[in-house]
Amino acid sequence: MKLRGLVRHPLPVIPASGFKASVLGASLLALAVAAWPAGVAAQILRGGNRAMEEQYEQARLHDFTKLRDASHVNRFVELGLLVPLKGNRDYRLHQVSFPYARPEVKLFVERLATQYRSACGEQLVVTSLTRPVSHQPSNSSRKYSVHPMGMAVDLRWSTRRDCRSWLENEVLVPLERQGVLQATLERNPRHYHIAVYPRQYAAYVANLESRQQLTAEVRVAEAEAVHSTPTRYRVRSGDSLWGIARAHGTTVDELKSANNLRSSRIYAGQLLQLPSGS
């Protein structure tokens, strides 16, 4: 049996646990963008045959195998091609027969769940993950469903309008526009079906983390510059060596030594080197 499922190109290792701190505070809505015009979410989330064909094409491009039954799923779990989702304080699983998915799907769920709970105040509820062909419901597409490939997740439809609005307008619509997933609001029963495109989503997260890291480094550098001890001082009218030395925790002799001064005479505009440690 030829086993498939590995992405052809190596992806950056991004542990899901490392993102929880970054999504708090200023990064709470890291996935969010400005709200889209009314009706945009409904247009994107409507699904259809073309959407299903696109999802299936992505599975094919990733060289993913359509899993036949429970033993096939377990084999992929043993190989590490599928990873378990156990739930945490931010999300839970409800009647999920096979609590496994591609690593990037788990990353998506855990990042989203942290943000969803922070923004909405309730847990995200996962209702389906990997689902082999033998366990597909009668109303699913036997040809185009990507649940048997482990790259899809179904989420419960919240009864709260503000939660639905946040999820649709701040996450699903923007990410679908960026080509990292495709989401459909299914009607029977009502839920969100999301196909995560692993390569694209991993690259998106890596780029997001890189920008956040750069921003953090800039802020640290700016803070250090503000609070760092000055190494030079420009003389102003009325200054004296004694006053400058006192203000910077040094002595007149140390100031004269650091600047090769033979006297205590200084002039406005002169740039003095402050002794190290002052």
Side-chain angles (χ1 to χ4, degrees), residues 10-24:
L11 294 172
V13 178
I14 312 172
S17 60
F19 292 103
K20 290 195 173 182
S22 66
V23 297
L24 299 176

Side-chain angles (χ1 to χ4, degrees), residues 20 25 97 112 116 130 167 173 213 244 271 276:
K20 290 195 173 182
S97 300
L112 173 61
Y116 182 82
T130 297
L167 180 61
V173 171
Q213 179 65 28
I244 296 171
L271 194 62
S276 61

